[in-house]
Amino acid sequence: LEKKSDNVKITGQVRYRYYHNNKSDATKHDLRSRLWFAGQVNDSWKYTAMVENVQNFDNNIGDETTSFQRAWVDGRIGGAKVTAGRFQPSLGGSVVFDARMDGVKVSYGSGKVSGYAYYGKPAGQRDERTNNGDPEVWKTPYKKMYGVGLAAKFGKVGVDAGYDVFKDATKGISWDEIINTGIDDNKIFNVGVKFDIAKDTNLGFRYLHTSEKIKDGDSKNGYVVDLGFKGAKATKPGSWGITARYMDVGGMIPMAYVDDNSPATVGGDYAKTTDARQGWKGYEVKANYTFAKNMIGTIAYYDWKGKVTDNKNRTFGAHLMITF
């Protein structure tokens, strides 16, 4: 252990979160703690794992879970970077898929032009508690996923494109109100562009197209518009930033309801409505501020509407993120 003491690095993240959702008229708050373990295998390969504990303060039953969330190795084979295990691939600018995957991803290139390919399956996600306090575990209905992507940088303009395939959907495994809306193999093409339009200001646009069957009122085409100004930096107390996003993605997104930045995380009840599968659109506004080194506070407002049902979902949320 003494010989290996400098070979493993431990870092952490603690987040206290509060939000209120108008659809369920629910006010919720929780504390999430994460510990990251990174160990150097050799000069080319590294192992990383993450353990997570979540304490929900919404009831009096001591609702708490601890789980081994991620574990992967990454390194190089020749000129290619390889990542394998359970990790977060963040596909399509984290819009197409921002959950965990069990599989392998190979990337090549750096600087101005790069590309990647991956193969695996979506990993299970933990949902909110059941009435008796036991964890309710569910999985995405897709059993297989694979795809490719390219990215390029031209001065102040960045462009990327991806093609992602989600296959072998199974109906009825969970969340019947969502799964029974009908899910086929889902092929998503997306292309994004990001501009530095002024000092500390950037504008992004992403177009998406799906092969998924859609409901009347929905669309096979979707888009996301992002606008950002400055940004809070953990190492710089007093720094701040504002972001705004408008999304019209329809029911095409296979895991939008577990995205850390989606309405599902701040307004979790929206994830369990048929709107999430049948199509939704709306906007979000966020502001963040660094109170002290490694302590960032964020407030956010989400306003979403179902494209098929016209149900509205508004959420106000706030969280304090501490890293060490």
Side-chain angles (χ1 to χ4, degrees):
L1 289 176
E2 290 179 355
K3 291 180 180 179
K4 292 288 185 180
S5 61
D6 294 332
N7 194 45
V8 178
K9 182 179 180 180
I10 301 175
T11 57
Q13 180 191 84
V14 180
R15 182 194 69 185
Y16 173 78
R17 178 183 61 172
Y18 161 93
Y19 66 84
H20 178 81
N21 177 264
N22 79 302
K23 190 174 182 65
S24 60
D25 195 26
T27 298
K28 301 185 178 183
H29 57 134
D30 59 26
L31 182 69
R32 185 188 72 184
S33 302
R34 289 177 168 179
L35 290 177
W36 301 83
F37 302 86
Q40 199 68 35
V41 178
N42 53 44
D43 292 340
S44 300
W45 288 83
K46 182 175 70 174
Y47 170 83
T48 306
M50 189 263 279
V51 177
E52 179 182 272
N53 172 269
V54 178
Q55 300 177 51
N56 291 310
F57 305 132
D58 306 324
N59 49 47
N60 298 318
I61 59 179
D63 194 359
E64 178 181 351
T65 60
T66 301
S67 57
F68 195 64
Q69 285 278 305
R70 303 174 198 170
W72 74 90
V73 294
D74 58 79
R76 292 196 171 274
I77 298 178
K81 179 183 177 181
V82 179
T83 303
R86 175 168 290 188
F87 59 98
Q88 192 168 355
S90 298
L91 305 174
S94 298
V95 174
V96 172
F97 187 91
D98 198 32
R100 296 172 295 157
M101 179 188 80
D102 295 334
V104 59
K105 180 179 180 181
V106 179
S107 306
Y108 189 85
S110 60
K112 292 186 176 181
V113 181
S114 61
Y116 67 84
Y118 70 90
Y119 179 88
K121 65 177 183 177
Q125 303 292 321
R126 185 189 60 256
D127 187 30
E128 296 180 6
R129 309 305 90 191
T130 56
N131 291 332
N132 63 1
D134 295 330
E136 176 187 354
V137 178
W138 62 277
K139 293 185 177 181
T140 170
Y142 298 104
K143 296 181 179 179
K144 186 187 304 181
M145 58 186 292
Y146 57 86
V148 295
L150 290 171
K153 181 75 173 179
F154 305 98
K156 296 183 178 182
V157 180
V159 180
D160 68 273
Y163 181 71
D164 305 286
V165 180
F166 300 85
K167 293 183 65 68
D168 302 335
T170 301
K171 294 184 179 181
I173 60 172
S174 65
W175 287 7
D176 289 340
E177 70 272 26
I178 295 177
I179 304 305
N180 288 339
T181 60
I183 296 179
D184 293 326
D185 292 346
N186 194 350
K187 301 173 184 178
I188 301 175
F189 168 76
N190 79 94
V191 58
V193 58
K194 187 174 182 178
F195 306 87
D196 293 331
I197 58 177
K199 182 180 179 181
D200 298 325
T201 306
N202 58 75
L203 176 66
F205 177 83
R206 185 168 301 277
Y207 165 80
L208 306 100
H209 177 81
T210 181
S211 66
E212 177 78 276
K213 289 193 304 185
I214 60 173
K215 297 290 183 178
D216 291 339
D218 202 349
S219 172
K220 286 181 173 288
N221 301 306
Y223 64 93
V224 181
V225 180
D226 288 296
L227 180 64
F229 179 69
K230 293 188 175 182
K233 298 178 176 60
T235 57
K236 190 176 180 181
S239 60
W240 59 278
I242 299 175
T243 62
R245 164 177 283 187
Y246 183 86
M247 299 181 71
D248 185 339
V249 295
M252 69 175 71
I253 306 302
M255 296 290 282
Y257 37 78
V258 295
D259 178 354
D260 271 348
N261 299 306
S262 78
T265 301
V266 176
D269 295 322
Y270 184 73
K272 293 186 176 182
T273 70
T274 53
D275 299 340
R277 280 303 316 170
Q278 294 183 2
W280 48 272
K281 61 182 179 180
Y283 68 90
E284 63 185 60
V285 180
K286 296 181 182 179
N288 51 35
Y289 180 82
T290 305
F291 295 99
K293 185 177 180 180
N294 297 328
M295 299 180 69
I296 297 178
T298 301
I299 57 173
Y301 177 75
Y302 300 81
D303 193 325
W304 306 98
K305 179 181 179 181
K307 296 177 65 177
V308 177
T309 64
D310 284 334
N311 289 334
K312 294 183 179 180
N313 184 282
R314 297 184 179 95
T315 301
F316 170 79
H319 70 246
L320 176 65
M321 187 79 73
I322 300 173
T323 56
F324 57 90

